[in-house]
Amino acid sequence: MMDWSILYFGPIERDEIQAAVDDAEWQSLRKRLKGKPLETKYTMLEGYYNETLYRLRLLNADESDEIRLLQVRVTNYVTALSRSGLIKVEDYRKND
């Protein structure tokens, strides 16, 4: 089952989006997601989030900033799916 709410991290600002999307790994993933079935998009997006979060924590990078950028990327993609009509707002904003 696709629970889009676990890939939604609340409202994001345009300046956050601009800072977050300039990432080679993210852009590569976005290209690979293009044209895939919704279920595959979900699985790949969830995998990207979990793997990147795990890696950030292992590296002990400046977690809060890097994790926020990760959350913004994923949230922005989820809301883009909604804007394009592939999922509904209710699919990801269950807790609002």
Side-chain angles (χ1 to χ4, degrees), residues 61-95:
D62 182 5
E63 274 190 44
S64 60
D65 291 343
E66 292 299 318
I67 290 173
R68 181 60 185 165
L69 291 173
L70 172 62
Q71 291 173 338
V72 168
R73 288 180 199 118
V74 172
T75 296
N76 188 49
Y77 194 86
V78 169
T79 58
L81 292 174
S82 175
R83 289 189 302 274
S84 68
L86 292 172
I87 64 174
K88 298 175 188 161
V89 172
E90 304 84 55
D91 293 339
Y92 63 88
R93 291 186 70 177
K94 295 178 182 178
N95 300 322

Side-chain angles (χ1 to χ4, degrees), residues 21-39:
V21 297
D22 187 22
D23 179 83
E25 181 182 358
W26 173 246
Q27 291 302 323
S28 175
L29 175 66
R30 285 186 64 237
K31 288 177 187 172
R32 292 193 316 270
L33 289 169
K34 199 169 203 159
K36 299 279 194 263
L38 192 58
E39 293 80 9

